[in-house]
Amino acid sequence: MTHTHVSAVEDDEPELLRDQFRQLLRYRAVIGAGVGIGLLGGVWFGLSNADTYVATSQVVLRAPVNDPFNPSISQDKTLNMGSERQTALSSSVAEHAAKKLGWTGTIGRLQKDLQVTNPPQSQVLQFTYTADTPQAAADRANAVTRAYLELREKQWTDVRATMLEGQQKQLDEVAKKHDRKTKELDRMPDGAARDAEYGVKTNLLNRINELDARISQLKSLDMSPGTVIRTASAPGYSDGPGLPMSLGLGALVGVALGLLAAWVRLVFDPSPRSAGDVARALRAPVLGTLPRGATDVLLADDHTDARVAEEYRSVAFRLAYDQRFADRRRLLVVAPRGDNDAATAVASHLAASFAETGKDVLLIEADLRTPTLAGRLRAHAASAPRWSTPAEPKGGEESGWPSRRQLVVDAGESGSFGLVPGERVRNVARALTAPRVSRLISEADSPNSTVVVLAPPVLNYADALALVDRVDGVLIVCDPRGVHRADLQRIRELIAGAGGTVLGAVVHTPGRRRTAKRPTGGRGRRAPQGFVDTDEFAAEPEQIILGDGSDTVALRALRAQDPRPRDIHAGDR
């Protein structure tokens, strides 16, 4: 085949990505739901932050030192900023701040809206408080800051007082020893013993001087724990991003969420969402993509959309140039599962398209379970081509399907083609595998002949598999949204296992089906406009007898502009 819609062999990665993105856009409801959720989240975020105000204060910490200008003293080694931050967030500071504010709530509620941070490479603590009003945020931030500084100053002062108390005790004891030693020296005579005791007195005096110096040093310490470098003030605007920005951010998050949900839905969706998926599952090209509703009518006429007829002609053209089909031109048309209406429409249109090119076309309805073609097409018993009449076997005529009853279908401007209508039989498998079916198909070997066989859905019945080895190829008619990829792969395996070849697929989208209704008021009442009265107009194939004139009843697929069923009379063509 030289021309196809989708190549099943070559997988172009950019094309696959574009195809996947187009498939994501099919889940518009999922993407829309994601955008809606994002917008609702944006509205909630914008409204919840509309009345929140943030105030900030900053403190530079320092440790008590004798000489703050001494460059040998490193503050970053003296202070542990992690411990200071934990102290600022402690319940002790919160309780002290609550007393200053006259807080009536719980301490945990006061701590909930407080944040304390330490900028890197600094001895700065930043107090950030969030409240419902600007002034409350500023007051609470300043209260917590003052409470922290006072608590730290008290802690340092308590440490100094403890050290002073210890040093003073040592000084008092050494001073008492010094006084006793002085009295002893006054009573001792001169000599070596007095000189030795005098050395002990000197050591005690040196110890007294040392302790006195330490006490003086502790008393001279600056116990201020830090300096407030930024006092919290009432903010003039709320901390939230605002409703417009929240909506924008929510929309962006919603689009991302919707695309993610659509991608997950696409990954786990068993149905092929494009012609490329169908081609990859069948390992065969997609020969045509029919417009919506193109399978609602069995034959295109003058009132049918020209796109439908042209698409069917293009499918027939591609088949004609496929060497696997062009040698003997025997085609089996099947659907995956469900009803067979789409495959019936494709088979009849392809038969008309081949007839339009001057071929002797024979359409065989191999659906022996629910045969309907003879009653739905404009079929009559005019002389059928001799090549389409099954040869009479030796030893007398066999009974059963296919019988010698052959019909001719008027395809309008496309010409006409032969029809072998299906008939209800007792044993379908035996009828399809009978020698007369093989003779009927094999006798259409003239250079100008084409045989199109219509079989029931492959996954519903095994009827089509009984005919696979007697045709040149199989055409799959499917709606991508109504079949699973696993079904298409299973069909390919079944056809290959039966000795057949999948020539390609025709993808369609179902339109508004016209369902058949039976009138409730008796035979004299008309069926509603747009519906076909199946009792009055769809004659069973067994009721058509060659030569009595009943085979000239023409049934057309009705549309809104067509006449009512009772306006169609016998003999219309």
Side-chain angles (χ1 to χ4, degrees):
M1 178 165 295
T2 57
H3 301 282
T4 59
H5 279 185
V6 179
S7 175
V9 179
E10 182 181 0
D11 291 335
D12 185 18
E13 184 175 354
E15 181 61 29
L16 289 178
L17 292 176
R18 287 191 292 268
D19 183 63
Q20 188 178 44
F21 184 75
R22 286 192 296 266
Q23 294 177 40
L24 288 178
L25 296 181
R26 293 178 180 268
Y27 300 101
R28 296 182 181 89
V30 176
I31 298 176
V35 173
I37 293 174
L39 290 176
L40 290 177
V43 171
W44 173 82
F45 183 75
L47 295 178
S48 62
N49 290 277
D51 297 329
T52 56
Y53 298 87
V54 177
T56 302
S57 63
Q58 291 181 339
V59 176
V60 176
L61 302 184
R62 56 183 297 275
V65 294
N66 291 325
D67 184 5
F69 302 103
N70 187 353
S72 62
I73 299 177
S74 178
Q75 291 286 342
D76 57 343
K77 294 181 179 178
T78 306
L79 294 172
N80 188 331
M81 297 307 297
S83 299
E84 297 296 332
R85 178 177 175 275
Q86 294 300 321
T87 303
L89 290 171
S90 65
S91 58
S92 300
V93 174
E95 290 175 358
H96 194 54
K99 292 179 182 179
K100 291 179 175 295
L101 293 169
W103 183 263
T104 58
T106 62
I107 299 301
R109 180 66 182 275
L110 180 63
Q111 291 178 296
K112 177 183 177 182
D113 298 323
L114 173 66
Q115 285 186 336
V116 180
T117 57
N118 170 229
Q121 306 297 326
S122 69
Q123 284 76 49
V124 176
L125 283 184
Q126 179 172 292
F127 295 81
T128 303
Y129 203 93
T130 304
D132 296 335
T133 60
Q135 192 60 45
D139 292 342
R140 295 170 189 176
N142 290 327
V144 173
T145 303
R146 290 195 301 270
Y148 166 74
L149 291 176
E150 291 175 2
L151 180 63
R152 293 302 291 151
E153 184 174 2
K154 182 178 180 300
Q155 290 175 345
W156 285 117
T157 302
D158 292 343
V159 171
R160 183 181 66 172
T162 302
M163 294 179 66
L164 283 173
E165 183 180 358
Q167 296 291 335
Q168 189 64 44
K169 286 183 180 180
Q170 292 184 32
L171 179 61
D172 293 342
E173 292 178 358
V174 174
K176 290 179 181 179
K177 292 180 180 180
H178 180 269
D179 292 341
R180 287 195 299 268
K181 187 61 66 177
T182 301
K183 292 178 181 180
E184 291 176 1
L185 286 174
D186 291 340
R187 293 191 297 266
M188 292 180 65
D190 295 337
R194 189 174 184 278
D195 292 339
E197 292 297 328
Y198 188 82
V200 174
K201 176 185 175 183
T202 303
N203 291 336
L204 290 174
L205 182 60
N206 292 335
R207 179 62 176 166
I208 290 173
N209 293 333
E210 181 182 353
L211 291 173
D212 190 49
R214 287 184 180 180
I215 292 173
S216 299
Q217 186 178 8
L218 287 174
K219 289 181 179 180
S220 66
L221 288 177
D222 182 6
M223 304 307 296
S224 174
T227 304
V228 177
I229 60 175
R230 178 180 177 182
T231 303
S233 60
Y237 51 87
S238 64
D239 183 58
L243 187 59
M245 183 174 293
S246 298
L247 287 176
L249 293 175
L252 292 178
V253 173
V255 169
L257 180 64
L259 289 176
L260 177 61
W263 179 80
V264 173
R265 177 72 175 85
L266 176 65
V267 169
F268 292 98
D269 189 359
S271 301
R273 283 298 184 176
S274 67
D277 282 352
V278 175
R280 284 185 285 272
L282 289 175
R283 296 183 185 177
V286 173
L287 301 178
T289 301
L290 302 179
R292 180 180 296 274
T295 59
D296 290 348
V297 294
L298 292 186
L299 285 178
D301 53 23
D302 297 338
H303 300 287
T304 305
D305 190 346
R307 294 179 304 166
V308 176
E310 289 302 321
E311 190 64 34
Y312 280 116
R313 291 188 184 101
S314 66
V315 174
F317 177 81
R318 293 182 178 93
L319 285 172
Y321 279 85
D322 190 339
Q323 294 300 322
R324 296 171 295 179
F325 172 76
D327 293 339
R328 295 190 301 174
R329 296 173 301 281
R330 297 169 179 175
L331 180 67
L332 177 63
V333 180
V334 292
R337 64 167 72 248
D339 60 67
N340 211 31
D341 293 343
T344 301
V346 171
S348 60
H349 280 95
L350 288 180
S353 298
F354 286 127
E356 190 175 15
T357 62
K359 302 290 185 182
D360 293 330
V361 182
L362 177 63
L363 175 60
I364 302 176
E365 185 183 17
D367 188 352
L368 308 183
R369 302 177 188 274
T370 55
T372 59
L373 271 182
R376 298 171 64 187
L377 292 173
R378 295 189 288 269
H380 57 84
S383 58
R386 181 185 57 79
W387 62 271
S388 67
T389 303
E392 207 175 305
K394 297 179 181 180
E397 184 177 354
E398 301 179 23
S399 60
W401 183 88
S403 64
R404 294 181 57 80
R405 178 167 58 102
Q406 305 292 315
L407 303 179
V408 175
V409 178
D410 179 14
E413 294 182 355
S414 298
S416 61
F417 57 87
L419 171 64
V420 177
E423 298 176 3
R424 297 182 185 274
V425 297
R426 220 176 256 277
N427 192 322
V428 176
R430 181 177 299 174
L432 292 176
T433 56
R436 72 188 75 178
V437 178
S438 300
R439 288 196 299 268
L440 177 63
I441 297 177
S442 62
E443 287 180 2
D445 285 338
S446 63
N448 203 38
S449 64
T450 300
V451 175
V452 179
V453 183
L454 174 65
V458 180
L459 299 180
N460 285 4
Y461 307 100
D463 300 356
L465 300 179
L467 302 168
V468 165
D469 59 342
R470 281 170 280 183
V471 296
D472 300 308
V474 181
L475 181 67
I476 308 298
V477 181
C478 67
D479 173 18
R481 300 186 183 185
V483 68
H484 293 175
R485 286 188 292 267
D487 293 340
L488 297 177
Q489 294 171 0
R490 177 62 177 163
I491 290 173
R492 173 177 53 80
E493 293 172 357
L494 290 174
I495 292 175
T501 302
V502 178
L503 295 180
V506 173
V507 177
H508 71 92
T509 302
R512 296 179 179 178
R513 297 292 182 90
R514 296 180 175 87
T515 58
K517 281 191 177 181
R518 182 172 297 181
T520 58
R523 296 188 60 183
R525 295 185 60 182
R526 292 185 179 180
Q529 187 173 2
F531 296 97
V532 178
D533 185 352
T534 55
D535 290 342
E536 186 174 357
F537 294 98
E540 292 291 336
E542 290 82 357
Q543 297 174 343
I544 300 178
I545 305 173
L546 295 180
D548 67 345
S550 64
D551 54 319
T552 61
V553 176
L555 296 179
R556 304 187 181 188
L558 298 181
R559 292 173 301 277
Q561 67 270 23
D562 289 342
R564 296 184 177 183
R566 281 197 171 275
D567 297 333
I568 303 176
H569 304 286
D572 292 345
R573 296 178 57 183

